[in-house]
């Protein structure tokens, strides 16, 4: 005798349970975002340390600068009699209140090299400042004291030794038009070079060289006695 087994419906206990995907907690999202930012920053640092990897992407530089326009011409009447070469090491640090340097703050070590010219303005010499005797053998010239020109920073000899920036400063550079700009340390270098030129003997050397130049010129014109006085 054969028996038939009728299929039975599975009970609730036999049915497989399906779990709904849970949402990621807020702290996990924040931690993931921080990790992604750190990975991007680390990758940027590695690319900067390995120039070969950067060349792999085929970076090219194109100069599309237009022609320079002449805006004005100024006649110069000064005699550049001396030039001094200066070098200064600028250590500029910017800190934020209540935040550690690793989070917010910068420190730049910059070597600034430049020149300062010393000149005598011969354009201020009037007719009363030049005295010549009747025999035209003796001459006296009264000139203004030598002055210092504007310090000129040499970009070929100036460079940043090191740059330390906090996390927020590095993130800000990602959205900056001038990341890692050196304008502040360059201005500071120019100021220190100018101060060093004032304390040097550059103006005294300029007056001495101007005197030698005028004496040689007037002696070639037949003057046997030439006197140059500064301070008019």
């Amino acid at each position: 005798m054969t028996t038939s087994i009728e299929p039975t419906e599975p009970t609730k206990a036999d049915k497989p349970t399906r779990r709904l995907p849970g949402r990621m907690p807020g702290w996990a999202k924040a931690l993931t975002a921080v990790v992604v930012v750190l990975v991007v920053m680390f990758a940027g640092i590695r690319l900067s340390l390995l120039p070969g990897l950067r060349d792999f992407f085929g970076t090219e530089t194109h100069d599309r600068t237009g022609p320079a326009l002449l805006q004005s011409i100024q006649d110069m009447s000064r005699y550049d009699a001396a030039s001094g070469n200066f070098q200064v090491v600028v250590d500029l640090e910017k800190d934020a209140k209540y935040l550690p340097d690793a989070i917010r703050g910068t420190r730049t070590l910059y070597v600034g090299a430049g020149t300062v010219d010393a000149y005598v303005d011969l354009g201020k010499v009037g007719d009363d400042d030049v005295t010549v005797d009747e025999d035209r053998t003796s001459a006296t010239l009264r000139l203004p004291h030598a002055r210092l020109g504007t310090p000129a920073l040499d970009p070929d000899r100036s460079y940043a030794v090191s740059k330390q920036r906090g996390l927020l400063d590095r993130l800000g550079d990602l959205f900056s038009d001038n990341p890692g700009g050196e304008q502040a340390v360059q201005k500071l270098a120019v100021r220190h070079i100018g101060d060093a030129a004032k304390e040097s003997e550059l103006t005294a050397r300029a007056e001495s060289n101007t005197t030698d130049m005028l004496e040689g010129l007037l002696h070639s014109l037949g003057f046997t006695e030439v006197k140059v006085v500064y301070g008019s």
Side-chain angles (χ1 to χ4, degrees):
M1 182 178 62
T2 60
T3 60
S4 61
I5 301 176
E6 296 181 356
T8 59
E9 295 183 358
T11 62
K12 293 183 178 180
D14 298 332
K15 290 182 178 180
T17 58
R18 180 181 300 175
R19 296 182 180 179
L20 297 177
R23 294 184 178 180
M24 182 180 293
W27 64 269
K29 294 181 179 180
L31 180 60
T32 303
V34 172
V35 172
V36 171
V37 171
L38 293 177
V39 170
V40 172
M41 292 176 56
F42 179 76
I45 295 175
R46 292 295 298 272
L47 287 176
S48 63
L49 295 178
L50 300 176
L53 293 179
R54 301 178 63 180
D55 296 339
F56 176 77
F57 295 97
T59 303
E60 296 181 356
T61 302
H62 302 280
D63 186 3
R64 295 186 175 91
T65 307
L69 301 178
L70 177 62
Q71 294 183 341
S72 64
I73 296 178
Q74 182 179 359
D75 295 332
M76 305 298 294
S77 59
R78 71 183 194 182
Y79 175 67
D80 291 331
S83 180
N85 295 311
F86 298 88
Q87 187 180 76
V88 61
V89 178
V90 178
D91 188 355
L92 180 61
E93 183 177 3
K94 294 183 180 180
D95 297 326
K97 293 183 178 179
Y98 313 115
L99 288 177
D101 294 341
I103 301 298
R104 182 65 186 272
T106 61
R107 183 176 181 180
T108 304
L109 195 63
Y110 183 82
V111 176
T115 59
V116 180
D117 295 334
Y119 66 93
V120 176
D121 192 355
L122 300 178
K124 294 184 178 180
V125 179
D127 296 337
D128 298 337
D129 296 325
V130 179
T131 304
V132 180
D133 63 353
E134 296 181 355
D135 298 335
R136 297 185 60 85
T137 58
S138 176
T140 302
L141 292 84
R142 297 178 178 84
L143 306 179
H145 281 294
R147 302 178 61 181
L148 295 175
T150 303
L153 199 64
D154 187 355
D156 294 332
R157 297 189 295 122
S158 303
Y159 56 93
V161 178
S162 64
K163 294 181 181 179
Q164 300 176 5
R165 292 172 294 171
L167 177 60
L168 296 180
D169 297 280
R170 290 181 179 272
L171 293 177
D173 287 344
L174 297 177
F175 306 97
S176 175
D177 294 334
N178 185 24
E182 300 174 351
Q183 186 176 9
V185 289
Q186 289 176 351
K187 289 183 177 180
L188 200 57
V190 169
R191 192 182 74 183
H192 284 298
I193 289 176
D195 293 340
K198 293 177 182 178
E199 298 177 358
S200 67
E201 299 180 355
L202 197 56
T203 54
R205 175 69 65 86
E207 292 181 359
S208 176
N209 293 340
T210 303
T211 299
D212 294 340
M213 183 272 296
L214 292 175
E215 288 180 350
L217 176 62
L218 294 179
H219 285 162
S220 64
L221 296 177
F223 289 90
T224 58
E225 183 179 355
V226 178
K227 184 178 180 180
V228 181
V229 180
Y230 294 91
S232 61

